[in-house]
Amino acid sequence: MSALPTDSLETPRFCGIPTFMRLPQADTLDGLDAAVIGIPSDSGAPFRTGARFGPNAVRQMSIMLRPINPYRGGLDVFERIRVADVGDTPVVPGYEVRSLERIEASVSALVEAGIVPFGIGGDHSVTLAELRAVAKRHGPVALIQFDSHTDTWDKYFAGERYSAGTPFRRGVEENIIDPAHSIQIGMRGSLFQPSDVSQSLDLGFDVVTTDELFEMGFDVLASRIAERVAGRPAFITFDMDFVDPASAPGVQTPESGGASARETLDLVRRLHGIDLVGCDVVEINPQYDGPGQITALLGATVLAEFLALLADR
Amino acid sequence: MSALPTDSLETPRFCGIPTFMRLPQADTLDGLDAAVIGIPSDSGAPFRTGARFGPNAVRQMSIMLRPINPYRGGLDVFERIRVADVGDTPVVPGYEVRSLERIEASVSALVEAGIVPFGIGGDHSVTLAELRAVAKRHGPVALIQFDSHTDTWDKYFAGERYSAGTPFRRGVEENIIDPAHSIQIGMRGSLFQPSDVSQSLDLGFDVVTTDELFEMGFDVLASRIAERVAGRPAFITFDMDFVDPASAPGVQTPESGGASARETLDLVRRLHGIDLVGCDVVEINPQYDGPGQITALLGATVLAEFLALLADR
Amino acid sequence: MSALPTDSLETPRFCGIPTFMRLPQADTLDGLDAAVIGIPSDSGAPFRTGARFGPNAVRQMSIMLRPINPYRGGLDVFERIRVADVGDTPVVPGYEVRSLERIEASVSALVEAGIVPFGIGGDHSVTLAELRAVAKRHGPVALIQFDSHTDTWDKYFAGERYSAGTPFRRGVEENIIDPAHSIQIGMRGSLFQPSDVSQSLDLGFDVVTTDELFEMGFDVLASRIAERVAGRPAFITFDMDFVDPASAPGVQTPESGGASARETLDLVRRLHGIDLVGCDVVEINPQYDGPGQITALLGATVLAEFLALLADR
Amino acid sequence: MSALPTDSLETPRFCGIPTFMRLPQADTLDGLDAAVIGIPSDSGAPFRTGARFGPNAVRQMSIMLRPINPYRGGLDVFERIRVADVGDTPVVPGYEVRSLERIEASVSALVEAGIVPFGIGGDHSVTLAELRAVAKRHGPVALIQFDSHTDTWDKYFAGERYSAGTPFRRGVEENIIDPAHSIQIGMRGSLFQPSDVSQSLDLGFDVVTTDELFEMGFDVLASRIAERVAGRPAFITFDMDFVDPASAPGVQTPESGGASARETLDLVRRLHGIDLVGCDVVEINPQYDGPGQITALLGATVLAEFLALLADR
Amino acid sequence: MSALPTDSLETPRFCGIPTFMRLPQADTLDGLDAAVIGIPSDSGAPFRTGARFGPNAVRQMSIMLRPINPYRGGLDVFERIRVADVGDTPVVPGYEVRSLERIEASVSALVEAGIVPFGIGGDHSVTLAELRAVAKRHGPVALIQFDSHTDTWDKYFAGERYSAGTPFRRGVEENIIDPAHSIQIGMRGSLFQPSDVSQSLDLGFDVVTTDELFEMGFDVLASRIAERVAGRPAFITFDMDFVDPASAPGVQTPESGGASARETLDLVRRLHGIDLVGCDVVEINPQYDGPGQITALLGATVLAEFLALLADR
Amino acid sequence: MSALPTDSLETPRFCGIPTFMRLPQADTLDGLDAAVIGIPSDSGAPFRTGARFGPNAVRQMSIMLRPINPYRGGLDVFERIRVADVGDTPVVPGYEVRSLERIEASVSALVEAGIVPFGIGGDHSVTLAELRAVAKRHGPVALIQFDSHTDTWDKYFAGERYSAGTPFRRGVEENIIDPAHSIQIGMRGSLFQPSDVSQSLDLGFDVVTTDELFEMGFDVLASRIAERVAGRPAFITFDMDFVDPASAPGVQTPESGGASARETLDLVRRLHGIDLVGCDVVEINPQYDGPGQITALLGATVLAEFLALLADR
């Protein structure tokens, strides 16, 4: 099996069943440095459902992407690291808790093999399952969360503890997130309670709102992130609603007033000093994305930037 | 509170927040004969999710409908029966079992008040909750099911017992359906196992495939239904995938080759001899319905025909 | 100026600014037998608005059509009659009465020149203006109306007399329709009042419901139409909601349960014995039609059949 | 009746018939400080029609919004002011002048009860009717208009005086706008005549183009607005085409090159020193908005910011 | 490698990268009886282009299909024949002649290995390449063509000989089609020239128009097909525009007035007595198909019926 | 024939068959300074096809535009220069090389008559044909290319030399571009090879990436362009994928992270010192543009700015 993507100058992009970036679909985990894995669960979604179709939507738009990353010195990503698309985790739609168990098992198989998982959600609750898998090997991780919401609420709908709105409170409680080295970036919009943001501070997270990130500038923020994680094993989770709905209409809970695609990529490309042990891009819902599928394209591009971040060690 | 729909010759249809057929939204259940109730749960959906938005989609298209039904002798439905839109049941997205409990509680409140519930789903698993509520008052009901699938499978996804594919096996097991007086109409398409249809026969249902219903004709079928239910309290459940995808594209699990909208209405308008104690229209998903929202319109029209069936006693 | 459509075997259909059937856009009315004229008014629309974009939507799909009609003996339409696309009438959006005046003036210019107008609506109120123009030359016309609604209501919204729901009552009152030789075909669906259909009978129209037209068969109906019009100057008005929403989702007031496209064309192709002095296809709204634009295609096909009917004299 | 929105942590957002921000739908006006009122008229629209469906589209997306506004000190809006959704004004589609009369009557009922109206259009001509209602109580108001066009043209289509392009010339003529304390913000794009902008200056308005607002910065502009209105009773009208089509595709007359959603909210959140006696958000057309409905979401968010501005007195 | 589809009762349909019917994606051709192969070429399309995305659209909807075919005696297709999805042929977009060469090479590799190719187009010109491959082994084949157009024109656009409108004239000229045992079914609509249908008769084909097929009935037609092919090696080509646009809006050249999905499947399921050496479903264009993707679903269902026809030997 | 656009204050924009900016459709080339010409070819498209429908999509949205350009001193464009819409070039879909020949012939007819061509693509390969036509009169031109890709690759798909990815290498080889006075602006995103950008430098072009253009600012860039072209005859080609997908989703090969519509227009309006001998806007694909058609609107606006640039000599 080749370790390189199909060459889009030889074979048109639309030929073939789409895998992420036209990478080989793995038969084996042997020798992989990183694996792209779809996590098609939306049982945690309190509003628009359909992120179960997110992984394949991202794959379909990812065929636009090419292997060289000019933003990290012309890095040829797949010369540096060996990557495959390993397909999807199983899930149990309508059964949030069981879905998280299945996701954790699939991701654990990667982590145990020393492979860095690159997840494609799925609603944001899937990140809790990924963190469980990663923490088994690396201990509590530094979390770098791009999101318009903190997702640190306690309970939803008369008491349910697992939802797209609660994973990072659960993660602290389960001691799989190290909040003292974690940071949440992009919060904005109206709040349920005055404590919606302060609850994250109370849990120990650093929090940067969308207004603050534009005030401080992206270089300052990138340094603040690097300082916060302080070289510890880090997991990056990217909720597409961090981005403004103009650039990412296909999400579960859109929040007007976020960063544009250009600003988002500019920020992501400045990330440095991160010991990446896992990451994901979540909350992509193709049914709300319009015919251009620009949310899926941007999500694929962000994930490809995370691959470059890993390769650029 | 008026008991009549808003007059669309006086106030344009698009004025006002849409309730079913522009009926009053109930503050009280007093004096109602029937109540339209949204059941926005899609936690049972094994494929396309989003039927949580079905009830409001049906309401929005139902404003096209007018109160007189010429197919039952120029019946003025709302002179005969007092009907209101009572809003939606609560649900717990991602928690199928708890959602069914909440739905059952809401529908039970109607049934206990002597009101016939007219449900708008939601995925087909919600019918199990409705049947539980109805059977508490009426005992095991005669089920008249329009559907392209039997939905009598046993388990899904490594053992889960509650899903849009299992409600009518559960209903027989729970003794809330009387299969000897029940009938399933419209089965078609490819099968998981050779037993997909025979399993319903084994449970005691009568089954009429789509091919058979066209062979026998609609008058014969209407009589067969009346004979089957034999005057017992009956519940009609209408899965929109009974209809061909050309007329009902906005469903969870479309199955090519069903009845057209005209055939469907022709059949429904011939129903007679039914002691209706409850009914629903389920599996309407507006995200897959296209800008014309023809699935929602047809679903609303079918539900209005069931109102006329009740009024035509 | 050529009198023939652009040849789609020489120049691809998508080349050029689309006129109806790629006909020449007229600089002059000299020598024309018939003229296709857009009537982009939707000020009469009580529900979904946007039929102002109908004429160009129909033009864009009409480029699929070819000049030979095999259903009338392989008739080469444009060898028999000289036809041009004369563009659109002006209208005054938001001013229904003034819009009708402008439309009447434009259509009158055609009628006075001895040209048969082929209108593309626009909402159904535009037909009143066309009838005024035609009746000035021909006297009260025999009306052949395909529609799911009678459009013979009296007043809308606290007294307005001009609307898509009233043109044919107005036409009788204004003595431009001869109801004794007119027929309305396709009525169906729920009613505002028990009199919704009988009001047309009271005005003197013959009425055939959708159910009745399928019972009698298309040949019987075609003969009934010919007998009804009895050789008098006739105007055919085709409201796209005659057709089922599966085949015509892009309309103002969709009504489930109509004829399919195949049935519609089969019926239209059987029309005979009609002295056509004008016709239109109305209520096409591309915003509700989906990416396939099948309503516009069917509307264009129906209008092309009317051209063949005229050519087949 | 509760005065608080439904709690979206208890009951999922998609449960229930959507009112603005899930506020109670009012049975009475007693005790209200502000009322959200839909104004579903598009008879004034010279281009894309369909804003009649704007109010319900905004309601449907407004269920994303939460009650606490962090941009005005963590203000709990509904603790400060009592607000309800009072449904829609009646209108007469196709009859612009009569529609304005009906709208004025409905809004007057609110104003006379001392309630600040928060309108959801509808095309921009509806603002004239609102201003007539407001001015009856408050005299000529200071108008703060966000828009890409001045809407101070004189006549349209051979002389009609009432249209989405003329309300603010009419308002000055009718002495219900005080131009000396009014300001128009956001003008851009190509012009019909060299006087398109200067005509507003001639009428006495202050005018800030899109280019100028970015040059001066949002703090300077917010102060300029406060100085211009000088404490007088003020009405804010927000035409969604102020915003760039990337963030607001669902409008009547899109104009490339406007502010993004983030810039728009940043500006709106800086408004201060305004004695708000009424406001609206207009020109939202869901048919042109795509499946993500981002225009409706942004419109809802802007209106919620105006509620916070009122509550922040 | 398993030879069976993924079990959708164990693993939800949306999990995994979609292959046709969730079949294994082949690493080897060894032991296969049939192979599904995508042919993503639309360089032959004279009107709507985009069928290059057809194969993956069909795969995505084919995950709805199940392995048992009840229309051929409860046949378990994949117990009878070993089938895999072998991915796509390469193509050269914009270079029709070279694309046909590449397609022929890929299909030839299957045919030479004794595997029956099941192609998914692509525009209809790809069938010429498939026929070239098949005829190398089997000689001139009996062609069974479902289509609304004959596709036996001679040249397009000033002389080009290869196009979606010409493959079956070319096939006769190249002696890879045996017209005396071939039949074209479904022709309808307006014509370029009076000879559009007779040109096929002149080439030696049998032709059945849409009108004729409904007159004769499906059983008669199925027998006429069996008699026509007379046991010779046969290739079935199914152009989706055979079907009415209501059931198949996502095609290149829609033609109003075809068979419904139910009628289409009813006809296809009656086919018998055919020695199938190859087949395809072509002209599926997902961009014109609407969110329900009903054209892709029907195309997948038709192809699955052809698999059952092969298995039912 | 009038030389002025239809007045949208007299006749509503939606009346009439749309030409670019409602300009007259030319019967003759006499006296024209500039001509808008559609080039509906997408045979060069390696990814999303459908730009053949771009010219009419741009025309339909261009009816929003008005004749006065306030960004160049209130310039009345059509008082300064006489412009018409001359329709489309013929093309041969599926035959890239022949299509380029036909396009060249049509554009040459304009250039030979001393008319500046304003092309609407079509995929980017059409620019090569335009350049061939222009260079016959003006010699090798200074090219000003806005694009996210250099389009200077050598060969595609096993050796084809003509494609949307190769026109500017071909143009240098054919000596119709003068690279020493040419500049490419907007490159960004991942690369096939490390040389993707440097290959343009090797050919002699100046290259400004998206990152660089934001660093240098638009005034500096406008001056750099003017200095680069140095008064030589210049051709501006504008690939819509220069713009971010949020503002231009309807393109062939979207690339996340480009300029917004406001930034794009701000830049284009600063262009000066250019002896414009031709220009185009390419790669607009309405099927991917969503119902708002914002890509087509922006493309039309950019082309109108180029008309103002020509008129502002």
Side-chain angles (χ1 to χ4, degrees), chain C residues 42-43 45-50 52-53 91-98 102 157-163 287-288, chain D residues 42-43 45-50 52-53 91-98 102 157-163 287-288:
Chain C
D42 49 17
S43 293
F47 189 41
R48 286 173 171 172
T49 180
R52 60 181 65 176
F53 297 105
V91 303
V92 187
Y95 292 85
E96 170 70 357
V97 176
R98 287 203 62 194
R102 289 197 167 193
F157 309 139
E160 291 303 339
R161 302 179 72 244
Y162 300 97
S163 147
Q287 284 306 112
Y288 293 91
Chain D
D42 50 17
S43 293
F47 188 41
R48 287 173 169 171
T49 180
R52 61 181 65 177
F53 297 106
V91 303
V92 188
Y95 292 85
E96 170 70 357
V97 175
R98 288 202 61 194
R102 290 197 166 194
F157 308 140
E160 291 303 340
R161 302 179 71 244
Y162 300 97
S163 148
Q287 284 307 112
Y288 293 91

Side-chain angles (χ1 to χ4, degrees), chain E residues 42-43 45-50 52-53 92-96 98 102 157-158 160 162 287-288, chain F residues 42-43 45-50 52-53 92-96 98 102 157-158 160 162 287-288:
Chain E
D42 49 19
S43 294
F47 189 41
R48 286 172 170 173
T49 181
R52 60 181 64 178
F53 297 105
V92 187
Y95 292 84
E96 170 70 357
R98 288 203 63 193
R102 289 196 167 195
F157 310 139
E160 290 303 339
Y162 300 97
Q287 285 306 113
Y288 293 91
Chain F
D42 49 18
S43 293
F47 189 41
R48 287 173 170 172
T49 179
R52 60 181 65 177
F53 297 105
V92 188
Y95 293 84
E96 169 70 358
R98 287 204 61 194
R102 288 196 168 196
F157 309 139
E160 290 304 339
Y162 300 97
Q287 284 306 112
Y288 293 91

Side-chain angles (χ1 to χ4, degrees), chain F:
Chain F
M1 189 183 74
S2 162
L4 296 180
T6 303
D7 182 351
S8 296
L9 288 170
E10 277 300 311
T11 311
R13 288 181 170 106
F14 51 81
C15 289
I17 302 175
T19 56
F20 188 76
M21 286 182 77
R22 313 191 78 186
L23 283 165
Q25 190 168 1
D27 289 328
T28 169
L29 301 182
D30 288 356
L32 294 180
D33 297 300
V36 178
I37 185 164
I39 311 178
S41 176
D42 49 18
S43 293
F47 189 41
R48 287 173 170 172
T49 179
R52 60 181 65 177
F53 297 105
N56 279 322
V58 169
R59 285 182 179 109
Q60 286 162 33
M61 290 309 296
S62 76
I63 61 179
M64 271 301 301
L65 300 173
R66 307 168 196 85
I68 310 291
N69 187 301
Y71 302 95
R72 294 189 183 271
L75 184 77
D76 187 335
V77 172
F78 305 108
E79 279 193 356
R80 295 282 192 88
I81 55 175
R82 196 174 168 101
V83 188
D85 185 328
V86 296
D88 289 353
T89 69
V91 303
V92 188
Y95 293 84
E96 169 70 358
V97 175
R98 287 204 61 194
S99 292
L100 296 182
E101 292 166 2
R102 288 196 168 196
I103 296 163
E104 181 186 343
S106 294
V107 177
S108 290
L110 298 177
V111 174
E112 285 164 12
I115 299 168
V116 180
F118 281 67
I120 311 174
D123 72 68
H124 216 159
S125 72
V126 306
T127 306
L128 181 64
E130 294 173 272
L131 290 171
R132 286 172 178 167
V134 170
K136 276 189 284 193
R137 182 184 181 107
H138 298 287
V141 298
L143 183 74
I144 304 166
Q145 177 188 350
F146 295 90
D147 203 330
S148 67
H149 312 104
T150 59
D151 294 355
T152 50
W153 286 280
D154 188 15
K155 294 178 181 172
Y156 262 74
F157 309 139
E160 290 304 339
R161 302 180 72 243
Y162 300 97
S163 149
T166 65
F168 305 116
R169 178 174 295 271
R170 290 295 95 76
V172 172
E173 292 169 354
E174 296 183 13
N175 198 31
I176 56 184
I177 294 172
D178 175 0
H181 293 93
S182 296
I183 183 165
Q184 298 185 310
I185 302 152
M187 283 70 224
R188 68 179 182 275
S190 54
L191 307 178
F192 285 124
Q193 297 141 348
S195 61
D196 280 4
V197 172
S198 64
Q199 69 194 10
S200 281
L201 298 174
D202 292 347
L203 286 168
F205 288 97
D206 189 13
V207 176
V208 176
T209 67
T210 290
D211 279 2
E212 288 165 350
L213 81 86
F214 281 100
E215 279 157 28
M216 77 177 64
F218 296 169
D219 275 333
V220 171
L221 177 59
S223 294
R224 180 157 157 182
I225 294 169
E227 287 163 20
R228 182 77 179 175
V229 302
R232 279 172 177 72
F235 189 100
I236 307 178
T237 186
F238 192 96
D239 185 323
M240 285 302 292
D241 68 22
F242 169 83
V243 184
D244 190 76
S247 289
V251 299
Q252 189 203 163
T253 50
E255 195 74 52
S256 296
S260 72
R262 186 167 71 79
E263 291 159 347
T264 298
L265 291 173
D266 193 9
L267 171 53
V268 165
R269 286 165 180 160
R270 286 169 203 257
L271 293 177
H272 63 270
I274 293 171
D275 176 18
L276 193 67
V277 297
C279 63
D280 63 22
V281 174
V282 299
E283 297 287 6
I284 292 171
N285 188 330
Q287 284 306 112
Y288 293 91
D289 202 10
Q293 293 284 300
I294 64 174
T295 310
L297 174 64
L298 181 56
T301 306
V302 167
L303 204 64
E305 291 294 332
F306 293 163
L307 281 173
L309 177 66
L310 181 71
D312 193 27
R313 287 180 296 200

